[in-house]
């Protein structure tokens, strides 16, 4: 009885499968599935290509662009010096921002309420005041503190230095740019650390792992996947933000270009030179950011991009084998 009932069930399943297969449309005949035609996509793409191509053609053929002047000043010594100064400012300011952001972010996540309050107040002030004001503040710091000294309370002075000699134009630019960006980096660090599942922290602490080792081995490697993209964007933004150092007289890339066209009155060709080098630098930083993101997302990419298709392939293979064996 059981065998007969099992046979009947098997036959019913086979007939149902055959009926279902017969009801499906054939893909090799007149009933083939026709993909949906997205006419709007092609029309919008053609319109964008037409407008963009027309604009580029006007730029390339316009006599007012004076491409000969652009080519002549592309590697001019003054432009190269300004570009090198822009790169130095970007690297130094972002290094200071990363260190400052790490310190402020750690203080913000500390269990000490005093450190939390100091970090919050610092971030509030740096993000709440304009960058130009902060640059000017550091540049004119000597008017507030003519001498910077370290002395023992009620005792002798260990050393004293003139503020103008200690914080020059370059130093004021780094302090203004780096500390301002450090306030934003603190929030990036805090968001990245908080994105890690708290259960992992509790599990590590339950086996006696120290706070420092927990951060180095578990928290930071996972948080870097969320920290790297906004940090890369901040670095690219910093490269372009360095142009504000014109206010304190530093000859960066844009300032060098402005000094040149102030003499020959070729504003547009010289601005094209500045745009070219900014695009070169931002492209290099973008490539570096992509490589870092791939490095820190290897586990996630392997899990989502490799294991899932392989699992589907194995399931299909096992189902095909079962069908061939009549199971």
């Amino acid at each position: 009885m059981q065998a007969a009932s099992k046979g009947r069930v098997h036959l019913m399943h086979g007939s149902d499968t055959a009926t279902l297969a017969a009801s499906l449309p054939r893909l090799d005949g007149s009933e083939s599935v026709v993909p949906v035609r997205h006419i709007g996509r092609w029309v919008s793409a053609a319109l964008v290509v037409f407008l963009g191509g027309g604009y580029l053609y006007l730029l390339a053929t316009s006599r007012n662009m004076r491409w000969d002047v652009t080519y002549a000043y592309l590697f001019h010594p003054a432009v190269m010096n300004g570009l090198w100064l822009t790169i130095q400012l970007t690297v130094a300011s972002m290094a200071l921002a990363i260190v400052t952001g790490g310190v402020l972010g750690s203080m913000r996540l500390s269990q000490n309420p005093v450190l939390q309050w100091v970090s919050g107040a610092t971030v509030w002030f740096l993000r709440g005041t304009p960058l130009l004001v902060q640059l000017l503040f550091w540049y004119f710091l000597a008017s507030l503190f003519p001498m910077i000294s370290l002395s023992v309370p009620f005792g002798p002075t260990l050393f004293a230095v003139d503020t103008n000699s200690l914080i020059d134009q370059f130093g004021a630019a780094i302090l203004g740019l780096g500390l301002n960006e450090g306030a934003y980096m603190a929030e990036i660090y805090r968001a990245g650390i908080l994105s890690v599942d708290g259960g992992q922290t509790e599990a590590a602490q339950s086996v006696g792992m120290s706070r420092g080792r927990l951060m180095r081995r578990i928290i930071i490697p996972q948080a870097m996947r969320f920290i790297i993209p906004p940090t890369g964007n901040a670095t690219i933004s910093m490269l372009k933000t360095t142009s504000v150092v014109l206010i304190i007289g530093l000859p960066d890339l844009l300032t060098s270009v402005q000094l040149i066209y102030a003499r020959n009155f070729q504003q547009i060709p010289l601005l094209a030179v500045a745009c070219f080098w900014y695009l070169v630098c931002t492209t290099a930083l973008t490539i570096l950011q992509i490589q870092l993101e791939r490095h820190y997302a290897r586990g996630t990419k392997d899990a989502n991009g490799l294991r899932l298709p392989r699992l589907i392939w194995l399931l299909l293979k096992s189902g095909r084998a079962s069908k061939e064996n009549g199971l």
Side-chain angles (χ1 to χ4, degrees):
M1 291 295 294
Q2 291 181 352
S5 62
K6 288 183 179 179
R8 284 196 298 271
V9 171
H10 179 72
L11 290 175
M12 288 178 63
H13 280 296
S15 61
D16 292 343
T17 304
T19 303
L20 179 63
S23 64
L24 294 176
R26 297 178 58 87
L27 300 180
D28 55 351
S30 59
E31 299 180 358
S32 300
V33 178
V34 179
V36 179
R37 301 181 184 277
H38 300 281
I39 301 178
R41 295 181 184 179
W42 292 102
V43 172
S44 60
L47 181 62
V48 170
V49 171
F50 175 76
L51 294 177
Y55 181 71
L56 293 177
Y57 177 78
L58 289 177
L59 286 180
T61 58
S62 176
R63 294 182 179 180
N64 296 328
M65 276 300 300
R66 294 296 306 274
W67 290 110
D68 57 331
V69 177
T70 301
Y71 299 147
Y73 284 96
L74 200 59
F75 297 97
H76 193 273
V79 175
M80 292 293 99
N81 291 335
L83 175 63
W84 174 238
L85 181 60
T86 297
I87 295 174
Q88 287 180 308
L89 286 173
T90 303
V91 173
S93 300
M94 279 308 301
L96 179 60
I98 290 172
V99 173
T100 304
V103 173
L104 292 175
S106 301
M107 293 171 61
R108 194 75 178 271
L109 296 173
S110 174
Q111 300 298 325
N112 191 328
V114 176
L115 295 181
Q116 291 182 6
W117 185 86
V118 171
S119 175
T122 304
V123 171
W124 166 78
F125 177 79
L126 292 175
R127 293 198 305 176
T129 54
L131 175 59
L132 286 177
V133 175
Q134 297 179 32
L135 280 174
L136 293 173
F137 174 82
W138 289 109
Y139 184 64
F140 295 113
L141 185 63
S143 61
L144 180 62
F145 300 109
M147 301 291 294
I148 297 179
S149 61
L150 177 63
S151 59
V152 179
F154 307 104
T157 300
L158 299 180
F159 75 89
V161 62
D162 181 57
T163 303
N164 282 326
S165 61
L166 181 64
I167 303 177
D168 55 358
Q169 291 174 305
F170 188 77
I174 293 176
L175 288 173
L177 294 171
L179 294 178
N180 180 268
E181 188 62 39
Y184 296 93
M185 288 299 302
E187 296 301 305
I188 292 175
Y189 282 130
R190 188 170 69 91
I193 292 174
L194 292 178
S195 66
V196 181
D197 185 15
Q200 302 185 39
T201 303
E202 296 174 357
Q205 291 175 344
S206 65
V207 297
M209 184 175 291
S210 63
R211 179 69 178 176
R213 190 175 183 183
L214 170 65
M215 294 294 293
R216 293 194 308 271
R217 303 294 295 273
I218 297 178
I219 303 297
I220 297 300
Q222 298 183 70
M224 290 300 289
R225 292 189 288 113
F226 302 93
I227 293 175
I228 290 297
T231 302
N233 294 335
T235 305
I236 294 174
S237 178
M238 176 65 72
L239 175 71
K240 297 175 290 184
T241 307
T242 54
S243 59
V244 301
V245 298
L246 166 67
I247 193 98
I248 59 176
L250 272 179
D252 69 313
L253 175 59
L254 183 60
T255 306
S256 301
V257 167
Q258 288 178 322
L259 292 176
I260 295 175
Y261 72 62
R263 297 191 300 268
N264 60 11
F265 303 103
Q266 298 292 333
Q267 291 87 352
I268 298 300
L270 268 302
L271 290 175
V273 172
C275 290
F276 172 81
W277 286 116
Y278 278 123
L279 287 173
V280 169
C281 294
T282 53
T283 302
L285 290 175
T286 302
I287 294 174
L288 178 61
Q289 175 185 348
I290 293 173
Q291 296 300 322
L292 289 175
E293 289 181 10
R294 288 179 179 176
H295 174 75
Y296 284 103
R298 285 180 299 179
T300 303
K301 182 179 180 181
D302 182 63
N304 298 333
L306 297 180
R307 293 179 184 174
L308 186 58
R310 180 173 176 82
L311 177 61
I312 296 174
W313 179 79
L314 290 175
L315 290 174
L316 293 176
K317 184 178 179 182
S318 62
R320 203 179 303 117
S322 301
K323 184 177 179 181
E324 291 175 356
N325 295 331
L327 297 178

